[in-house]
Amino acid sequence: MADEPGRWIRRYRAAPDAAVQLVCLPHAGGAASYYRPMAMALFPSVEVLAVQYPGRQDRLDEPCFGDFAELTERTLAAVRPALDRPVALFGHSMGSLLAFEMAKRLEAEGVGPLALFASGGRPPDRPVRHSSRTVTDEELISEVAALEGTDRRLLDSEDMRVLFLPALRADYRTMATYRFDGTRLGCPLVSLTGDGDHLVTSDDAAGWAGHTSGGFDLHVFPGGHFYLTDRWDAVAEVVTRRLGAHVPTGTG
């Protein structure tokens, strides 16, 4: 079956006249809907294309991936046909590594992104390694709860656990297969992090600087691993400032 853009991409606020498209890639266990606030904050100057991985929400009946290289190739193959303007990539946590790998491939094709925004993620040479096979459901839920990115009522619901735990475990297995090949990007790279994130230290966030020759910025926000939840407008401002001349002033 072909990877049709309609199955992979959610436009929560379509902006056909926007000068730039921003592809947003979710965290492990996450879904496209996480980026709905980003789409609203950037409208109408930037069109957000939020990626929906298989195995969650309206793609629950599709198998999750278990290999990072395959996830990268399939995501890029699905997204590529929807790109009709200059594009930037934004990824959070696992999504930051996926955005990095997609940016490498786009640059190799001669259509590199305007910028890569790596949020809440360690750089490619020191990725997070989760253990999804040996921990119990309760231990996994406790780990997720500690990140403060998921409503505790959902974590305590047996019905909801059945829906999100398989995708989370699959994403952890996928991350364990990631291998960095040493390639550096040529586009600008922006690292964003929360000052209370216990998964990504300030040194980790700054470490992204060594993975591009195209300029680097670091932005530290108050909050933990999911600092974005309370700071979408501030994050959107970072995006619009970085994209500069490509985004009309006074909008976004």
Side-chain angles (χ1 to χ4, degrees), residues 163-180:
L163 295 179
F164 74 81
L165 281 182
L168 181 61
R169 286 187 181 277
D171 288 348
Y172 281 4
R173 289 194 297 271
T174 298
M175 290 177 65
T177 69
Y178 177 76
R179 299 294 181 268
F180 175 51

Side-chain angles (χ1 to χ4, degrees), residues 18-21 45-46 86-87 114-115 240-249:
V20 177
Q21 291 175 307
S45 58
V46 177
V87 65
L114 299 173
T240 53
R241 282 206 310 266
R242 176 66 265 180
L243 295 180
H246 299 278
V247 177
T249 57

